[in-house]
Amino acid sequence: AQSVTQPDIHITVSEGASLELRCNYSYGATPYLFWYVQSPGQGLQLLLKYFSGDTLVQGIKGFEAEFKRSQSSFNLRKPSVHWSDAAEYFCAVGEDYKLSFGAGTTVTVRA
Amino acid sequence: KAGVTQTPRYLIKTRGQQVTLSCSPISGHRSVSWYQQTPGQGLQFLFEYFSETQRNKGNFPGRFSGRQFSNSRSEMNVSTLELGDSALYLCASSLGDESFGGETQYFGPGTRLLVL
């Protein structure tokens, strides 16, 4: 079965600074990869997804992610963080009609 | 287009009771999935339904069950509630046309269940 690992439980970043969230996957073939964001008390919102093709994927809210097969990674990045980006971020892999999620990374944005 | 709706949003039950949660998918979506989110276990897959058929089931006891109706609406039921069932239960819908894993799932706001 496929799985994803998010090594960072919590990240604090200053407003206006860049952000990178790590995600490593375990799968033999090209995986279906997703990044979701969850604000407190809310459901999950899709930021972006990767299936195949261009390894640099653009998403909503200024986020992008790069698929690196050699490193089994799908890291999420944002060049300049806004206070509204404070949330929990989940990396997920799709297989057999389900998503398997990482443990999540909580992002705190300081002024 | 309206998003995924879940009812109720909040629920308080006592141990031993049963509960039914409801999910209405985005119009035109025929696949509905359910997930449990807890601080300790994170997001865990419960089951997925497409055209009233369960296509996959997660590793949960038989107390957790679900069904899907002909209009794609779905319900999940938890019988004989335990304290550990306290969680946010998320429903997600997708078109269901493709062999999954590549479909995007759209999530509802969740039902927060507290078991006392």
Side-chain angles (χ1 to χ4, degrees):
Chain A
Q2 302 187 59
S3 65
V4 293
T5 302
Q6 295 180 247
D8 305 306
I9 296 173
H10 189 206
I11 286 179
T12 299
V13 60
S14 298
E15 193 169 15
S18 64
L19 174 69
E20 182 168 13
L21 304 181
R22 296 185 290 165
C23 173
N24 295 103
Y25 67 89
S26 171
Y27 189 58
T30 300
Y32 298 105
L33 293 165
F34 305 80
W35 274 100
Y36 282 88
V37 61
Q38 185 178 36
S39 298
Q42 303 295 315
L44 300 172
Q45 181 182 24
L46 178 71
L47 288 174
L48 47 78
K49 59 187 178 186
Y50 174 79
F51 297 163
S52 65
D54 194 349
T55 57
L56 186 62
V57 181
Q58 302 296 320
I60 63 170
K61 303 185 179 188
F63 284 92
E64 67 178 24
E66 186 170 13
F67 173 72
K68 292 186 177 180
R69 183 187 303 277
S70 62
Q71 298 177 20
S72 297
S73 69
F74 187 56
N75 294 348
L76 181 72
R77 299 193 294 254
K78 185 168 184 177
S80 177
V81 168
H82 187 261
W83 63 266
S84 60
D85 294 321
E88 190 162 17
Y89 293 79
F90 293 94
C91 181
V93 62
E95 178 188 39
D96 294 337
Y97 310 111
K98 71 176 184 181
L99 291 171
S100 297
F101 288 89
T105 299
T106 299
V107 173
T108 298
V109 180
R110 59 184 175 214
Chain B
K1 189 180 278 191
V4 177
T5 57
Q6 293 187 245
T7 56
R9 292 292 311 277
Y10 303 93
L11 208 49
I12 300 175
K13 293 286 187 180
T14 57
R15 278 180 298 173
Q17 287 186 310
Q18 75 165 17
V19 66
T20 299
L21 311 182
S22 181
C23 173
S24 293
I26 292 171
S27 177
H29 286 192
R30 295 188 294 166
S31 168
V32 174
S33 300
W34 289 89
Y35 295 83
Q36 182 196 63
Q37 185 176 25
T38 61
Q41 299 299 315
L43 280 155
Q44 294 186 287
F45 171 76
L46 282 157
F47 24 66
E48 188 266 358
Y49 289 89
F50 174 77
S51 292
E52 302 179 67
T53 299
Q54 186 183 88
R55 295 192 295 192
N56 198 356
K57 184 178 189 301
N59 188 26
F60 279 83
R63 300 185 296 107
F64 291 81
S65 63
R67 60 177 176 169
Q68 186 181 35
F69 302 96
S70 58
N71 62 358
S72 294
R73 192 176 67 84
S74 176
E75 289 181 347
M76 68 162 283
N77 183 275
V78 187
S79 63
T80 318
L81 284 165
E82 300 177 0
L83 296 179
D85 297 333
S86 294
L88 180 66
Y89 290 88
L90 293 164
C91 169
S93 76
S94 63
L95 288 170
D97 290 341
E98 302 176 23
S99 59
F100 201 79
E103 281 203 338
T104 297
Q105 293 191 3
Y106 297 88
F107 285 80
T111 294
R112 186 163 296 281
L113 171 65
L114 177 61
V115 182
L116 301 176

